[in-house]
Amino acid sequence: MKKVLIANRGEIACRIIRTCKALGYSTVAVYSEADKSALHVKMADESHLIGPPPVNQSYLNSDIIIEKAILSGASLIHPGYGLLSENALFAQKVEAAGLLWVGPSSATIELMADKGKARSVAIEAGVPVLPGSLPIDPNNTPLLLESATNIGLPLLVKATGGGGGIGMQVAESLEDLPKIAKSVSSLAERTFGNNKIFLERYIANARHIEVQVFGLGNASVFHLLHRECSIQRRFQKIIEEAPAPNLPKGTERMMVQAACELAKSQHYAGAGTVEFVLDRNTNEFFFLEMNTRIQVEHPVTEMISNQDIVALQLSLSEKQDMNHLIDHDFEYNGHSLECRLYAEKPKRRFLPSPGPLTRFRLPVPTQNIRIDTGFKEGDIITPFYDPMIAKLVVAAANRDEAVKLMRTTLDQVEVEGITTNLEFLIEILDNADFLSGNINTRFIDTNIERLTSYQT
Amino acid sequence: MAEIKVHSDVTGTAWKIVVSEGQTVEEGDELIIAEAMKMEIPHVAPESGIVKKICIEEGASISEDDLLFIIET
C-alpha cells in the first residue's frame, strides 16, 4: 500500500486523510507537542512527533518532515494549505529526496509567491491587472508619492512576499502613505523575511471572485468554475460560495478563460486558484494573485461539481493519465455555501480567543451538509495556530435554499469554553444585502455595528 | 500621580516589547506587540506617562488579562 505523508494539521490534514483512505493509501500524520491527541493524529494510520508547538520548530521544519517521510516509507507528501504549501524550497527538497510532491513545480511556486513577478506573468498572458507600481523601497518617499499620484487614490500597499490576506493595507491619502508603506514593509520583513512592497489601485466597490483551475503540467488546463469570496474581515475570507450570485455570464466566461490562459502559460501542474477583483461599477475584472495549492474554501467547488480536488491532486502526482478531463463537460448542480467558524471575538475587533473546547457539538453531516474540522470536544484551541476551528458547508438547489440550510446548520452548532464568531455568521446570513447578493469586499466593515449587535 | 495598569487582550506570547522601563510614552504609543494565532496584536498606552514597570519578559507566554505594564501618569 502506498503511503502519503500529510505535512499539515487541523481540518485540512483530516480532510486529506479522508480522501487518501477512500483511495486506498496509507496515511502518515506529523504533529507538534501541542497536537499529541489531535484528530489528524488519531485518524492517520501512523503519526510522528516533529517538535515543540511553535510552527517554526515543528510544522515549518522541512528537514524533519522529510526525514519522517523517508523513515515511514511514504512516497508522497501533501502539504495542504498554509504552512509549507507555498514554500518552493520545501517542494524542491521533497523532490530531491526522491519523494512525490503534491503540488506544482517549485519554479511555479516561487514565481507566484512573488506578487510583483506574478503580475508580470499575468500581463504576459494577457490577463488584466490593476494599475500598480514596481517594487519600491518604503523609505523612498518621493518615489512613493510619484507612483501613488500616477496610480490614483485610494490604493493598496502590498508586500511582494505577502499572502493569505497578510501584508496589505489601504492608503486613502498621500499624507498617510509613507507611514503605511513602512508599517507594511516591517510587518512583511518579520512575517515573510522580505521587506519589498509595491502599490496597486484599490477598488472600493469590488467583489473578490476566484477561479479553480487544474493543470496537467503541459499546456493542458481545465477548470472547476469559480467561487465568490467577498465576505472578508482583515482581507481574510469568512463566507464563500459557488457559484457567485448575480455574476453576468459574459464576465464569468472571460474570467474563467483568463485564469486558464494564465495557468496554460505556466504549464501549471495541479490544483491552483486564480484570484480576481471584480469592479462592481464597471464589471471589469483584474488579476490579484494565484495560489499554488488547495484552497481553504475548496469544498464549495466540490459540492457543486461532485469532484474531489485532493483525489485529482494525487492522481496527477502519481502521473496518471488525466487527459480525458481536459475536454470533459463538468456538470454543476445547485449552490453551495461555506462558513468558517473561528475562535475569535467579533465584538472586540476579531481578537483571537484560544482556550478549551469544553463543549463542541456539530450537526450530523448529510449529503447536503459537510463539516470539516480538526477538533473534538475536550480539545484545547492553542494560541500557536490558525483560529479556524471548523468549516460548515452546505449545498442546495439554489442560493436561497442554501442560505436557509446554512442558517439551520449554524443553529445546531454548540461551542462552550471559548468565544467564537458563530452569532456573527448568523447575523450575516440574516442581513438583507447578503440575502440579495448585494455584497462587496467592504461588506463587514460597512455593517460592523449591526453585525456585532447580537446579545451574548 | 496615578498608576495605570495595562493588561493583555489575548492569550499568546509577548512577541516584542517595544518600550523600556523609565521611558516616557504618549497616549496611543505602542508598548508591546503580542502574538496569538498567527496575528500580531499591538497594545498601546491608554494615557501618556512613564513606563514604571514591565511585568513580563519578551518571548514569554501570556494569558488574557495578565498584567503587562504599570504606567505612571
Side-chain angles (χ1 to χ4, degrees):
Chain A
M1 204 150 78
K2 279 199 171 175
K3 279 189 185 177
V4 181
L5 181 140
I6 298 98
N8 215 302
R9 62 181 299 282
E11 66 87 14
I12 193 63
C14 297
R15 185 258 169 274
I16 295 165
I17 291 171
R18 220 172 294 129
T19 289
C20 287
K21 288 193 164 175
L23 295 175
Y25 288 99
S26 168
T27 52
V28 184
V30 291
Y31 64 98
S32 75
E33 282 160 14
D35 281 339
K36 275 179 184 153
S37 57
L39 212 49
H40 76 283
V41 176
K42 290 194 165 20
M43 278 176 71
D45 297 305
E46 65 180 281
S47 54
H48 296 273
L49 178 66
I50 50 168
V55 284
N56 54 5
Q57 294 171 56
S58 51
Y59 296 105
L60 292 181
N61 185 340
S62 51
D63 292 334
I64 193 158
I65 292 172
I66 290 170
E67 192 187 304
K68 297 296 180 191
I70 294 167
L71 186 80
S72 61
S75 50
L76 296 99
I77 292 191
H78 196 306
Y81 56 70
L83 298 174
L84 291 168
S85 63
E86 287 172 293
N87 185 314
L89 190 60
F90 181 57
Q92 227 168 48
K93 283 182 182 174
V94 168
E95 291 189 329
L99 305 164
L100 295 174
W101 165 251
V102 182
S105 72
S106 57
T108 304
I109 296 174
E110 198 171 356
L111 196 63
M112 291 303 174
D114 184 312
K115 295 205 166 161
K117 287 184 188 153
R119 263 176 71 92
S120 312
V121 168
I123 295 168
E124 276 166 38
V127 177
V129 300
L130 287 160
S133 75
L134 292 170
I136 300 183
D137 174 356
N139 297 309
N140 187 342
T141 305
L143 184 60
L144 274 178
L145 297 180
E146 191 197 317
S147 305
T149 312
N150 289 336
I151 294 165
L153 292 159
L155 54 79
L156 265 180
V157 180
K158 288 183 161 184
T160 62
I166 299 169
M168 270 194 275
Q169 220 175 316
V170 180
E172 305 270 0
S173 72
L174 289 179
E175 291 76 60
D176 295 343
L177 184 60
K179 199 180 158 200
I180 291 172
K182 283 190 190 88
S183 132
V184 171
S185 173
S186 71
L187 180 81
E189 168 89 70
R190 295 196 298 263
T191 317
F192 314 110
N194 171 358
N195 71 349
K196 277 200 286 179
I197 57 157
F198 68 102
L199 309 180
E200 199 171 73
R201 179 176 292 166
Y202 179 65
I203 300 174
N205 187 15
R207 288 165 70 177
H208 176 121
I209 294 172
E210 59 188 29
V211 178
Q212 176 71 57
V213 296
F214 197 98
L216 304 191
N218 43 35
S220 303
V221 171
F222 65 92
H223 71 87
L224 291 173
L225 225 63
H226 64 270
R227 294 181 284 264
E228 158 76 60
C229 310
S230 298
I231 306 294
Q232 310 181 349
R233 52 125 181 79
R234 275 195 310 262
F235 298 114
Q236 289 184 334
K237 303 158 190 169
I238 58 170
I239 297 182
E240 301 96 340
E241 49 189 307
N246 319 325
L247 181 62
K249 261 274 155 244
T251 309
E252 199 266 334
R253 226 178 1 248
M254 285 194 286
M255 239 182 220
V256 165
Q257 199 184 348
C260 289
E261 285 306 320
L262 180 66
K264 279 180 194 170
S265 77
Q266 295 309 303
H267 286 199
Y268 191 84
T273 297
V274 183
E275 299 193 336
F276 294 105
V277 57
L278 175 73
D279 187 330
R280 285 193 63 191
N281 298 331
T282 64
N283 264 329
E284 288 173 287
F285 64 87
F286 305 93
F287 171 76
L288 273 184
E289 62 183 55
M290 180 168 192
N291 296 319
T292 53
R293 50 163 164 86
I294 195 160
Q295 204 92 339
V296 177
E297 59 273 20
H298 75 277
V300 293
T301 298
E302 295 185 330
M303 291 297 259
I304 63 161
S305 67
N306 207 23
Q307 296 293 313
D308 181 328
I309 295 173
V310 171
L312 294 172
Q313 289 182 300
L314 292 168
S315 294
L316 188 74
S317 300
E318 295 259 45
K319 304 185 174 57
Q320 289 168 9
D321 183 6
M322 299 179 79
N323 282 305
H324 61 286
L325 293 172
I326 294 302
D327 297 313
H328 185 73
D329 219 349
F330 289 97
E331 246 183 78
Y332 301 100
N333 288 304
H335 196 97
S336 179
L337 273 178
E338 171 180 282
C339 283
R340 301 191 191 182
L341 187 66
Y342 278 109
E344 67 182 16
K345 299 173 179 169
K347 284 174 183 280
R348 292 191 60 199
R349 294 170 290 119
F350 304 98
L351 278 176
S353 160
L357 278 173
T358 52
R359 188 175 175 81
F360 189 45
R361 302 286 162 92
L362 296 168
V364 179
T366 66
Q367 205 183 343
N368 294 323
I369 301 177
R370 168 173 167 177
I371 313 284
D372 285 16
T373 184
F375 295 103
K376 56 194 181 314
E377 194 166 285
D379 281 352
I380 291 169
I381 311 288
T382 73
F384 302 107
Y385 314 113
D386 189 272
M388 192 172 75
I389 50 181
K391 299 189 309 207
L392 304 145
V393 188
V394 302
N398 55 52
R399 187 172 190 263
D400 288 348
E401 293 299 317
V403 173
K404 265 188 220 156
L405 181 58
M406 182 61 89
R407 188 70 174 72
T408 58
T409 302
L410 291 178
D411 281 340
Q412 294 169 63
V413 175
E414 295 175 44
V415 193
E416 283 170 25
I418 56 163
T419 307
T420 71
N421 66 341
L422 181 62
E423 292 88 350
F424 184 74
L425 291 168
I426 291 170
E427 290 291 329
I428 295 174
L429 294 186
D430 288 346
N431 179 283
D433 282 330
F434 179 80
L435 289 169
S436 62
N438 180 26
I439 49 177
N440 65 21
T441 50
R442 287 187 153 180
F443 174 84
I444 287 180
D445 289 336
T446 312
N447 296 289
I448 190 71
E449 264 179 56
R450 213 163 350 139
L451 295 174
T452 52
S453 62
Y454 54 85
Q455 302 292 316
T456 40
Chain B
M1 290 254 194
E3 277 184 359
I4 294 181
K5 290 177 175 162
V6 180
H7 297 271
S8 177
D9 277 342
V10 290
T11 296
T13 49
W15 187 70
K16 197 166 191 177
I17 297 173
V18 185
V19 292
S20 45
E21 281 179 9
Q23 189 176 329
T24 305
V25 290
E26 301 285 325
E27 179 184 333
D29 280 358
E30 227 165 59
L31 302 173
I32 183 174
I33 303 170
E35 200 263 321
M37 295 178 144
K38 304 198 310 186
M39 261 183 73
E40 291 186 2
I41 301 134
H43 289 59
V44 300
E47 283 182 45
S48 302
I50 292 165
V51 181
K52 193 178 166 197
K53 192 167 167 48
I54 298 176
C55 313
I56 28 91
E57 272 178 47
E58 193 164 278
S61 295
I62 48 174
S63 296
E64 187 173 344
D65 295 328
D66 274 2
L67 179 61
L68 303 178
F69 299 93
I70 298 173
I71 305 214
E72 203 170 69
T73 60

